[in-house]
Amino acid sequence: MSSNPPAEYAGVPLPEVRITTTRLLFAETTEKVLNGFEEIEHIRQVTMSGESLPRKINSGPNKGLDNNHTQRRTIKVGGKDVELTTLVGNFFIELDVEDDMVLDETVGKIKAVCDAHIEHGFNLEIGRYSKYRPTLTDYRGV
Amino acid sequence: MAYKRQFYPGTTSPAVARRRLMDPKVKLQKLREVPIEDVVKLMGHRNPGEDYKSIHPPIEEGSEPDCPIRKLVTPIDGAKHGDRIRYIQFTDSVYFAPVSPYQRAWMYLSRYRGIDTGTLSGRQIIEVRERDLEKMAKEFIENETFDAALTGIRGATVHGHACRLDENGLMFDAWQRYLWDPKRKEVKYVKDQVALPLDKEIFVGAPASMEDLKKRTTIFRADGVDMRDDKEVTKYQHRIHKLRTLGGYQPFKVKGV
């Protein structure tokens, strides 16, 4: 008998919006952008990636010392606490849409949020950039 | 005819900058002043004012073995005193940093004696006797090869040279050794090169503008000066590539290239 993997996949390749920012975003900007996305309908999930900020100094003679990076902190998104562990540089937004008109409208709203909060520019693309059903790696450690 | 030393081919601005940095006759421009006590703190090898630790007795004591090479070579100051060998390591961003690691190696070896330097993808370590290192480190933090935003002093976890810059235009550093000071509009170090918090903030000046950096950099980039636009540099690269491909470690055996 096997357990279910922790991630929830749509099972079908829904469209995904990839936003690559020109500069790595501070926690404050990430918070504003995510709260902007909160208002938009048809967003199934948002995944972020960027450069990792370790909690502790992870090598060298001071290994184990607290890192105290000012950008590694908890932000509020839609009233919930989200712990940021990276300096965010990419957003992957999975959209739960069925036709092109709704897709265009939703992407337009996403772009407007980015225009309002991302000062140094970004690149927005529509496609499919991550998997949509479980694979063997999802069962690792289950 | 006496041999005239040549440094680097090409006519474009990165090629000229490379030649300039490598030529020991060119005095590098000093852009900022950082006190030697602060440089010592940034490196973290000893406390300012503390004696230099030694690994062998001073050469003047005469305990050296009888060796013709030792008689021939004039020791650098730190070697005379038997200092330890310590290091400083700079990371240079790919976003038009004034110099890049490989040219640092060329520059160091062309300008200094008694050093050991190592090139990695984004960083350049320099190892030398402690008292000489401190003088060199001060020089290289103060001169035109250092930019407050795009050059980092990092002993470990140097990751960041190929990452995007942050919103303040600073090169990414997972250990946040330096911060932007919005009041003074300068970059300040709050940790030493191996991330030990400093007892005082050390200011290293304001970053240069991107416009200025694009003129000064030694980096060829498709969105700056493309290496293929410099005919002489391309020819030289092709020649090295061909000699290496056809001749391996015996390029002199390849004829007619």
Side-chain angles (χ1 to χ4, degrees):
Chain A
M1 207 175 84
S2 64
S3 325
N4 287 324
E8 281 179 21
Y9 294 100
V12 286
L14 293 170
E16 211 173 17
V17 175
R18 177 171 70 179
I19 294 158
T20 309
T21 59
T22 310
R23 295 258 174 109
L24 296 169
L25 304 183
F26 289 146
E28 198 187 343
T29 314
T30 308
E31 190 175 31
K32 283 180 193 163
V33 172
L34 290 178
N35 280 314
F37 293 160
E38 272 289 301
E39 317 276 305
I40 303 171
E41 268 186 299
H42 305 294
I43 291 183
R44 190 176 175 272
Q45 72 174 7
V46 180
T47 311
M48 297 178 291
S49 73
E51 295 302 327
S52 179
L53 304 174
R55 194 166 58 84
K56 300 260 181 195
I57 300 299
N58 43 11
S59 67
N62 299 312
K63 190 174 174 177
L65 214 67
D66 283 337
N67 188 14
N68 297 326
H69 199 294
T70 52
Q71 299 304 321
R72 190 193 160 102
R73 58 187 166 94
T74 306
I75 55 170
K76 277 249 187 261
V77 182
K80 283 185 196 160
D81 285 345
V82 175
E83 199 199 342
L84 265 189
T85 56
T86 56
L87 212 53
V88 175
N90 302 291
F91 295 93
F92 297 88
I93 309 158
E94 193 181 44
L95 302 179
D96 197 0
V97 292
E98 281 172 7
D99 59 68
D100 285 353
M101 218 176 76
V102 183
L103 175 69
D104 290 346
E105 193 188 318
T106 314
V107 171
K109 286 178 187 167
I110 291 172
K111 191 172 178 302
V113 168
C114 295
D115 282 331
H117 300 298
I118 303 175
E119 189 193 336
H120 296 280
F122 60 89
N123 186 33
L124 188 147
E125 287 169 22
I126 305 165
R128 185 71 217 184
Y129 307 97
S130 57
K131 59 185 184 174
Y132 53 89
R133 56 187 170 203
T135 60
L136 201 61
T137 49
D138 289 290
Y139 291 90
R140 196 173 52 185
V142 172
Chain B
M1 194 176 82
Y3 171 72
K4 193 170 177 244
R5 195 173 168 196
Q6 295 181 48
F7 296 100
Y8 198 82
T11 50
T12 48
S13 65
V16 173
R18 287 176 183 210
R19 267 204 296 278
R20 209 176 145 263
L21 294 183
M22 283 164 76
D23 187 350
K25 286 180 189 153
V26 174
K27 196 170 160 28
L28 298 179
Q29 205 185 338
K30 187 173 165 177
L31 299 182
R32 58 187 73 77
E33 178 75 43
V34 181
I36 188 73
E37 293 77 25
D38 290 353
V39 174
V40 170
K41 278 183 184 173
L42 275 175
M43 290 194 288
H45 300 308
R46 69 179 184 106
N47 294 317
E50 189 185 340
D51 280 349
Y52 292 103
K53 291 188 178 72
S54 61
I55 46 164
H56 61 74
I59 289 177
E60 282 172 7
E61 284 186 13
S63 52
E64 290 290 298
D66 190 24
C67 165
I69 301 298
R70 285 175 204 238
K71 282 176 190 160
L72 201 69
V73 177
T74 314
I76 58 172
D77 203 26
K80 269 187 209 161
H81 290 86
D83 287 357
R84 301 179 298 179
I85 289 172
R86 302 285 99 175
Y87 72 93
I88 187 164
Q89 185 165 249
F90 291 104
T91 310
D92 302 291
S93 172
V94 297
Y95 287 98
F96 303 102
V99 63
S100 81
Y102 214 87
Q103 286 95 50
R104 276 191 186 273
W106 292 342
M107 174 176 72
Y108 293 154
L109 292 166
S110 175
R111 287 174 178 267
Y112 296 94
R113 295 170 58 235
I115 62 154
D116 185 9
T117 182
T119 315
L120 293 106
S121 58
R123 56 178 143 148
Q124 183 70 29
I125 191 166
I126 179 159
E127 296 177 11
V128 65
R129 301 279 188 159
E130 197 163 1
R131 71 189 71 201
D132 300 289
L133 171 73
E134 285 171 6
K135 281 181 215 146
M136 276 185 71
K138 181 170 159 62
E139 218 172 285
F140 278 99
I141 292 169
E142 289 179 344
N143 74 22
E144 59 184 286
T145 63
F146 186 92
D147 181 67
L150 302 178
T151 311
I153 304 165
R154 305 180 184 184
T157 302
V158 297
H159 173 67
H161 83 284
C163 294
R164 281 164 278 171
L165 307 177
D166 72 14
E167 287 188 78
N168 286 331
L170 306 190
M171 176 167 58
F172 173 77
D173 183 7
W175 289 356
Q176 207 174 36
R177 276 160 272 219
Y178 47 85
L179 294 166
W180 172 249
D181 188 299
K183 271 189 200 157
R184 278 177 64 158
K185 297 205 182 303
E186 282 187 23
V187 175
K188 61 183 179 191
Y189 272 75
V190 290
K191 294 178 186 175
D192 73 5
Q193 63 174 344
V194 283
L196 189 72
L198 294 165
D199 53 8
K200 64 172 255 206
E201 293 168 343
I202 296 172
F203 285 84
V204 291
S209 70
M210 205 36 96
E211 211 176 45
D212 178 30
L213 285 164
K214 281 188 176 179
K215 283 183 202 153
R216 291 202 275 128
T217 188
T218 64
I219 300 173
F220 287 103
R221 265 180 75 114
D223 56 351
V225 178
D226 195 321
M227 189 179 257
R228 286 165 294 195
D229 293 341
D230 196 317
K231 294 282 174 280
E232 201 185 356
V233 173
T234 314
K235 198 176 148 195
Y236 155 86
Q237 295 288 356
H238 282 167
R239 182 179 152 77
I240 290 176
H241 179 65
K242 209 163 180 180
L243 289 175
R244 182 64 197 267
T245 310
L246 299 174
Y249 289 115
Q250 296 180 319
F252 48 85
K253 285 194 176 172
V254 182
K255 304 294 174 201
V257 174

